[in-house]
Amino acid sequence: MWRGRHHGAYGQGRRRGGADIYTVMLLAQLFQRIGALEHKPPVTLAVMAGCFLTFFQEILPWQLQHLIPSVGKACIQPYMILQNRQWSRLIWAAFLHADEMHLYYNMSSLLWKGVQLEQQYGSVQFAGLLVELLLLSHGLFVGIAALAAAYIPEYGYLYLSNCAIGISAVLFALKVVLQHNAPGHSSVLGITLPTKYMAWAELFLASLFNPQASFLGHLAGILAGLLHVRFIAPALPAIRRRWRRMITSARIQLQPGTARYAAADGTAARQQPAAARPPAPAAAAAAEQRVAGSNRRRAQASGPTMTAGSQGQLDSESAVASEAVRAPPHNAEELRLRRLQRFG
């Protein structure tokens, strides 16, 4: 992420001039690396394409060129974001770059990190991770600048006139996510450090060798990565489980023919088909009438030859059936006793 003053570090318009031969060779080398990839990560390549198109926008139709804001209207300037509610700056700033070298180094870093993380997370989750880190890092940038200006007047320029562009804040956050559990040590400029702390070393080295690098932007990226690995990522499994339970419960409630019953202790619930519920009193009475009517039709069909014993058996069957409708058996022993009463 590069920084400058709002009134002129990067100019107010589009990219000027053409790329030199050295930059063209570097970009060609980057495209060769992409072509040599066995697995080409779609989300990473889409973000890279967006950054290239916003920089080399001359190749776009003029209708699309006018949709891309200038650096002065899209850079991260905390005052314009908080006071004028220009929230789109939080997104656009990541896709704009100061010059060809700034673009090349950021895209090279994004390709190296994106290939590993997108293969680890999957394209959908990696896209969500990019959005989270983008908003979190740029939001921290604005918040830290506002707090610094409020309590340290010497840093008021960070809030009023700071104008930062580039995707470097997201890259520092991705580096923290990629290396937070990395074993072993790494070396930079002869200094050996645990690999998980290399982002901090790069933070100071980038500002030391490139005064235009935004120390605050890179610091916000590291803090965003730490917030993700320490707090957000551990909470995600519980959030996903709760979300699945809510979706499943909503689907079950929308299904016809189901009734919801609370558990005996009132802490849980189960789903039971409506057909398996105990019959209501009106339904039991109607079933009893149907059984009695059936017995009467059988008696009429038998004629005068029916004996008193046969009529008593029908009445007994009717009573037993009615009782079964009113109160279905609860266990096997009760069912056996009822069968003995009915059939002897």
Side-chain angles (χ1 to χ4, degrees):
M1 179 170 281
W2 283 45
R3 63 179 176 86
R5 297 300 177 89
H6 175 66
H7 55 267
Y10 309 117
Q12 298 297 323
R14 312 291 179 178
R15 185 178 64 92
R16 299 177 182 177
D20 56 27
I21 186 63
Y22 179 69
T23 305
V24 172
M25 292 176 61
L26 289 178
L27 294 177
Q29 184 183 24
L30 180 61
F31 284 114
Q32 288 179 355
R33 289 169 53 190
I34 295 174
L37 291 175
E38 181 178 356
H39 171 72
K40 295 178 173 56
V43 175
T44 301
L45 296 181
V47 175
M48 293 177 64
C51 293
F52 275 112
L53 291 176
T54 54
F55 190 81
F56 298 102
Q57 55 189 263
E58 294 85 356
I59 65 176
L60 296 174
W62 66 270
Q63 296 90 342
L64 295 180
Q65 291 185 31
H66 288 280
L67 296 178
I68 301 175
S70 64
V71 171
K73 295 181 179 179
C75 65
I76 297 182
Q77 189 180 9
Y79 174 81
M80 300 298 291
I81 293 174
L82 295 180
Q83 298 298 324
N84 296 342
R85 304 293 191 267
Q86 296 181 2
W87 307 112
S88 62
R89 289 174 178 264
L90 297 174
I91 306 297
W92 275 114
F95 291 91
L96 300 177
H97 291 81
D99 53 33
E100 289 84 355
M101 295 302 296
H102 186 207
L103 176 69
Y104 166 76
Y105 283 114
N106 275 359
M107 294 302 98
S108 180
S109 178
L110 176 60
L111 180 64
W112 182 77
K113 297 177 177 70
V115 168
Q116 301 178 69
L117 288 174
E118 188 166 350
Q119 188 173 4
Q120 176 183 342
Y121 284 88
S123 296
V124 176
Q125 292 189 20
F126 180 68
L129 177 66
L130 283 178
V131 173
E132 173 202 327
L133 295 178
L134 171 64
L135 297 177
L136 193 57
S137 59
H138 289 182
L140 287 172
F141 182 103
V142 174
I144 294 173
L147 290 175
Y151 292 99
I152 308 176
E154 290 78 6
Y155 289 100
Y157 71 93
L158 291 176
Y159 179 72
L160 295 174
S161 59
N162 194 17
C163 185
I165 57 174
I167 201 171
S168 303
V170 180
L171 296 178
F172 270 83
L174 290 176
K175 188 175 187 66
V176 173
V177 174
L178 183 63
Q179 297 182 342
H180 76 285
N181 280 331
H185 293 71
S186 299
S187 178
V188 55
L189 296 180
I191 302 175
T192 302
L193 294 172
T195 302
K196 61 182 179 180
Y197 297 135
M198 288 302 297
W200 293 100
E202 291 186 10
L203 169 67
F204 292 100
L205 290 175
S207 299
L208 178 64
F209 291 105
N210 186 4
Q212 285 294 107
S214 174
F215 181 86
L216 179 57
H218 297 168
L219 175 62
I222 293 177
L223 295 179
L226 290 175
L227 284 175
H228 174 81
V229 298
R230 297 290 178 85
F231 300 101
I232 299 177
L236 283 178
I239 295 174
R240 292 194 187 103
R241 287 194 298 269
R242 184 175 182 85
W243 176 256
R244 293 193 190 102
R245 287 197 297 267
M246 292 173 59
I247 295 298
T248 302
S249 177
R251 288 177 178 175
I252 291 175
Q253 290 178 359
L254 291 176
Q255 289 178 357
T258 59
R260 192 170 181 84
Y261 288 90
D265 58 358
T267 60
R270 63 184 176 87
Q271 298 297 326
Q272 181 176 351
R277 291 181 297 172
E288 182 178 352
Q289 292 178 1
R290 287 195 298 271
V291 173
S294 176
N295 290 338
R296 284 195 299 270
R297 287 192 295 272
R298 289 169 59 188
Q300 292 174 1
S302 299
T305 58
M306 177 176 288
T307 63
S310 300
Q311 182 64 40
Q313 182 179 358
L314 289 176
D315 294 340
S316 176
E317 291 178 359
S318 176
V320 172
S322 300
E323 183 181 355
V325 171
R326 293 191 190 96
H330 296 285
N331 51 50
E333 181 63 21
E334 184 178 351
L335 180 61
R336 187 180 67 82
L337 292 176
R338 291 190 179 183
R339 286 178 176 173
L340 287 176
Q341 293 175 1
R342 180 174 180 181
F343 301 106

